[in-house]
Amino acid sequence: MESFFSFILYPVSAILWFWHKIFGAVLGPDNGFAWALAVFFLVFTLRTVLIKPALSQMRAGRKMAKFAPHIQKLREKYKNDRQRMAQEMQKLQSEHGVNPLGGCLPALLQIPVFLSLFHVLRNFHPGAESNFVFDKAGVDSFIQANIFGAKLSNWITQPEAELALFGTDRTSMMIVAIPLMVIASIATYFTMRLSVKKQTDASMANPQSAMMAKFMMYIAPIGALISGWFLPIAVLLYWLANNVWTLGQQHFLTKKIDAEQERERQKEIEAKKATPRPKPGQKPVRDGGKPASEEEGESATATATEAKPSKPAPGQRPGGKPGGKKNQPKNRPGKQASRAKKRR
């Protein structure tokens, strides 16, 4: 673990050390709330760095929603040719400037941070001489810190003997951990709900996507409640801070994206208004520089010329066949009626 995540273990522990120095100078180095605030601001620091990828993620999601109907048509057209469908979808995404991996980037970047923080917190144990950038004094300070009797590096399901070694018990751990789990679960639910609500009808046209989104909206909060029994208090603080930040960030970025789209819409409206229109009574000029009426007149003349019958050949009556023979009897309703009356 240390060798694989060494490139991020030291930066994460360094950010935690920095914020503990600041809040420890105010509240005391061994104060549990100083360490809790250090964990909170560790999250805020990392999420601030990830704001730009998160903004790109939301923009990519909006773009994907715009041409979701085209994707659905490609799926129906090439449903029997997976390779061709993948090529056409990749072509469509490149034309619209959308990177499908851009939406996953912020979440993927948080995974090594979460694992690194978990590993750093697990290394705060009695007898440790150091913990990455923390010296022995920093390790002892973290071990002695508590929030209402609950130690930050311990979790509810930990054996009683280990809890006693840190100077705490299961009841104290539950009093602090369960409210944190509930608040983190509620924040997760509202975050997922806001995400589903902002999805357009086009992006939710796929029944499987809609069902999965609603499924995750309820499963993710339940996951927060269940996993909280097996995570250290400091990790629950990280999770709580992360979910609260995500909820606020999503609300802020959504308003920003909506404002950008509204400005683009206004620009399109102004561009249409600025397009020159023919004055009242002026004939619209088409391609070629001729007025529409002249083109229509020329077209009508050509049509009349084509429709004008040619002169009959010698021995041929107008409209008849050569030889002047009648193929069908003429239909004369007046004479037929008079003949019928004489017969009566």
Side-chain angles (χ1 to χ4, degrees):
M1 174 70 180
E2 292 185 16
S3 59
F4 185 76
F5 286 106
S6 59
F7 70 97
I8 196 170
L9 283 168
Y10 282 94
V12 167
S13 59
I15 296 172
L16 183 63
W17 175 89
F18 171 77
W19 286 114
H20 174 254
K21 284 294 183 182
I22 293 177
F23 293 110
V26 178
L27 302 176
D30 299 338
N31 188 289
F33 290 98
W35 280 101
L37 288 171
V39 173
F40 267 69
F41 277 80
L42 164 66
V43 175
F44 298 160
T45 303
L46 297 173
R47 293 304 302 273
T48 301
V49 175
L50 296 176
I51 283 181
K52 188 173 181 180
L55 186 60
S56 301
Q57 173 191 4
M58 293 192 69
R59 286 172 176 161
R62 294 293 181 93
K63 287 184 179 180
M64 289 286 290
K66 284 184 178 180
F67 61 89
H70 300 285
I71 294 179
Q72 187 64 25
K73 290 180 181 178
L74 289 177
R75 288 175 178 172
E76 293 175 359
K77 185 177 181 180
Y78 302 106
K79 58 183 179 181
N80 297 325
D81 190 351
R82 297 284 182 180
Q83 185 177 0
R84 180 66 184 279
M85 181 176 65
Q87 292 175 354
E88 293 295 328
M89 289 182 68
Q90 186 177 4
K91 180 180 178 182
L92 183 66
Q93 289 168 356
S94 62
E95 289 176 355
H96 289 78
V98 175
N99 183 6
L101 296 178
C104 305
L105 184 60
L108 292 176
L109 291 176
Q110 291 183 56
I111 294 175
V113 174
F114 180 83
L115 295 176
S116 299
L117 177 64
F118 183 80
H119 189 69
V120 169
L121 296 176
R122 289 294 298 269
N123 282 351
F124 284 112
H125 56 80
E129 295 294 328
S130 64
N131 185 14
F132 300 101
V133 301
F134 290 95
D135 55 9
K136 183 172 174 41
V139 173
D140 294 340
S141 174
F142 186 88
I143 293 173
Q144 295 171 11
N146 68 86
I147 299 177
F148 302 117
K151 300 294 184 177
L152 300 181
S153 59
N154 297 96
W155 55 96
I156 298 176
T157 55
Q158 200 170 4
E160 286 283 359
E162 295 183 12
L163 294 174
L165 183 64
F166 282 84
T168 186
D169 54 62
R170 200 178 308 281
T171 303
S172 299
M173 296 296 300
M174 293 177 67
I175 291 173
V176 176
I178 291 177
L180 291 176
M181 292 157 49
V182 172
I183 297 172
S185 178
I186 293 173
T188 302
Y189 169 76
F190 281 106
T191 301
M192 299 293 296
R193 182 181 178 183
L194 182 62
S195 177
V196 172
K197 185 178 179 180
K198 289 298 179 182
Q199 290 180 348
T200 61
D201 295 336
S203 62
M204 296 294 285
N206 189 348
Q208 294 180 350
S209 300
M211 183 179 64
M212 182 60 67
K214 292 182 179 179
F215 179 75
M216 290 301 299
M217 185 172 66
Y218 295 100
I219 291 298
I222 295 174
L225 288 175
I226 295 174
S227 60
W229 292 81
F230 308 95
L231 295 175
I233 297 293
V235 175
L236 289 178
L237 291 170
Y238 171 89
W239 200 336
L240 173 61
N242 190 62
N243 288 332
V244 171
W245 177 278
T246 301
L247 182 61
Q249 175 182 278
Q250 201 166 17
H251 181 73
F252 172 76
L253 294 184
T254 299
K255 293 182 68 175
K256 180 177 176 62
I257 297 296
D258 290 342
E260 289 179 356
Q261 290 187 337
E262 181 63 22
R263 286 195 295 270
E264 291 179 0
R265 192 176 70 86
Q266 291 297 331
K267 287 181 180 179
E268 291 177 358
I269 294 174
E270 292 176 359
K272 290 181 180 179
K273 290 181 179 179
T275 303
R277 296 183 179 180
K279 297 179 180 180
Q282 181 182 1
K283 297 176 182 179
V285 178
R286 295 181 181 175
D287 295 340
K290 292 183 178 181
S293 59
E294 291 185 11
E295 290 187 3
E296 291 175 359
E298 292 177 1
S299 176
T301 303
T303 305
T305 304
E306 292 175 359
K308 187 176 181 180
S310 58
K311 293 182 179 181
Q316 179 183 1
R317 294 182 181 181
K321 292 186 177 181
K325 294 182 179 181
K326 297 180 181 178
N327 295 326
Q328 294 181 353
K330 295 182 180 179
N331 186 12
R332 297 178 179 178
K335 289 186 177 183
Q336 290 178 359
S338 62
R339 289 174 184 173
K341 286 182 180 180
K342 288 180 180 181
R343 289 175 185 173
R344 292 176 185 174

